Amino acid sequence: MPARVVGGLALRKALKKFEPDLAKETSKEIASFVKPLAKNARGFLPSNEEAPSGWLKRDNAKGRWATRYYDAAEARQGISFKTTPSKANSRGFTALASILNKSVGGIIYEWAGRTSGISGNFTPRLGGQLKGRNRGVTGRVIFRAFAQDQGKATAGVLKAIEKSSAKFNARKANV
């Protein structure tokens, strides 16, 4: 999944500072590769009828769990993307483009698919697999969309960065 791009963050900063029009063009081009992934991930989310039992909104819920529920419409709206670089993580890596799930129900669904394996079982009574009313549910919709894409988005983002780098260097040489 990850691709190592040396100088990608510095290029984005230089584009923003010296060539804002080229920076906008690069962001639009990156978005054109990442947006279909987000749209595809939205399609993998289950409807309210297929949601795991106990996850739908409860009118009598109080306290912390009153706001933690699954709603298909909210979860679909919560999946978005951004083309701005992220902050560096503990190992120093940054993401030049990312797909996020901002809704509480969508995040829980994503995490349940991530930690419902043998180790760190999120649902101990279900034997590691969430079971919806109509079918087995495994979560990880963003990863599933990325796997289905087969690296086309990654290649497209890298190509967009290389293209903007070449244009930036050409403009710099002409000055």
Side-chain angles (χ1 to χ4, degrees), residues 22-68:
L22 191 55
K24 281 185 178 181
E25 182 183 322
T26 304
S27 290
K28 284 182 182 178
E29 195 169 349
I30 290 172
S32 71
F33 292 108
V34 179
K35 190 175 185 176
L37 279 177
K39 187 176 180 182
N40 197 12
R42 287 184 195 114
F44 292 134
L45 286 168
S47 65
N48 285 340
E49 292 80 32
E50 297 172 325
S53 63
W55 281 22
L56 296 178
K57 188 172 185 174
R58 296 167 302 280
D59 295 328
N60 59 352
K62 293 182 176 115
R64 179 180 296 172
W65 291 101
T67 59
R68 289 164 175 80

Side-chain angles (χ1 to χ4, degrees), residues 39-108:
K39 187 176 180 182
N40 197 12
R42 287 184 195 114
F44 292 134
L45 286 168
S47 65
N48 285 340
E49 292 80 32
E50 297 172 325
S53 63
W55 281 22
L56 296 178
K57 188 172 185 174
R58 296 167 302 280
D59 295 328
N60 59 352
K62 293 182 176 115
R64 179 180 296 172
W65 291 101
T67 59
R68 289 164 175 80
Y69 58 88
Y70 180 81
D71 182 29
E74 282 183 25
R76 282 189 178 91
Q77 286 178 344
I79 294 180
S80 62
F81 65 93
K82 65 179 210 161
T83 58
T84 55
S86 66
K87 291 182 181 179
N89 67 6
S90 61
R91 291 184 244 149
F93 291 99
T94 60
L96 296 177
S98 53
I99 301 173
L100 325 157
N101 196 334
K102 297 178 183 177
S103 70
V104 174
I107 291 169
I108 292 172

Side-chain angles (χ1 to χ4, degrees), residues 11 15 22 26 159-169:
L11 173 68
L15 287 175
L22 191 55
T26 304
K159 189 175 180 181
I161 291 169
E162 289 172 2
K163 186 176 162 185
S164 66
S165 175
K167 283 184 179 180
F168 181 68
N169 289 333

